[in-house]
Every structure is written in C-alpha cells, then in structure tokens.
Amino acid sequence: MAEFNLVRLSQLLREHGEQDASVDVDLAGNIEDITFEDLGIDSLALFNTFVQIEREYTVELSYDVAVDAETPGELVKLVNEKLATGS
C-alpha cells in the first residue's frame, strides 16, 4: 500500500463530511498545520475519515491517535508510522 498523504486525507475529509461554511480554508490548499477544528471539520466527519483510512490502508487507529492528531499533518505522520510498523 502506498504511503498516506495530505492529498488523500483532503479527499477523504471532503467525502465524509461538510466543512463548516463559516470557515474560509480550502481543503485542497496547504492544510498540514491547521487544526481540524480551525478547518471546520466536525467529529463525525473525522470519525468517518478514520474508519475509511483503517479500511483502505489496513491499519488500526486507536482512540489515542484520534486524540493526538490535532492537525492533518500530525494524522498523516501517525498513519504512516502505523504503516511502517505494520500495526
């Protein structure tokens, strides 16, 4: 399986929820260091994105990953660490 990246994460976020209309950030832009909250991503969209990542990349994302990853960049890093260790 290929490495997980910001482009794929952005696609998944758009597929699994609507961005808060009051937030003026393009998910296709440089979102690496912007918190999910500041991106206007709600918890349901983030949960559904996590589930899709688990299915697509055959990794298990624990609750700790969900809590620790506050930005897309952090999530990409954590997923790739899981992929590298095969867990």
Side-chain angles (χ1 to χ4, degrees), residues 1-2 4 24 26 28 39 44 47 50 52 56 67 70 76:
M1 176 59 59
F4 187 60
D24 188 26
D26 181 6
L39 288 170
L44 182 58
F47 173 79
F50 275 46
Q52 185 63 38
E56 219 172 280
V67 172
E70 295 181 8
V76 167

Side-chain angles (χ1 to χ4, degrees), residues 6-34:
L6 280 173
V7 172
R8 184 63 185 135
L9 177 56
S10 294
Q11 291 168 340
L12 291 172
L13 290 170
R14 286 192 302 271
E15 288 173 17
H16 292 289
E18 291 188 25
Q19 189 178 16
D20 184 333
S22 67
V23 175
D24 188 26
V25 177
D26 181 6
L27 289 177
N30 184 6
I31 62 168
E32 184 173 4
D33 296 320
I34 303 171

Side-chain angles (χ1 to χ4, degrees), residues 32-67:
E32 184 173 4
D33 296 320
I34 303 171
T35 65
F36 288 111
E37 182 178 348
D38 288 343
L39 288 170
I41 304 298
D42 67 24
S43 58
L44 182 58
L46 200 50
F47 173 79
N48 288 333
T49 298
F50 275 46
V51 169
Q52 185 63 38
I53 292 168
E54 287 181 322
R55 285 184 191 146
E56 219 172 280
Y57 290 85
T58 319
V59 294
E60 187 174 325
L61 301 177
S62 67
Y63 176 76
D64 293 339
V65 170
V67 172

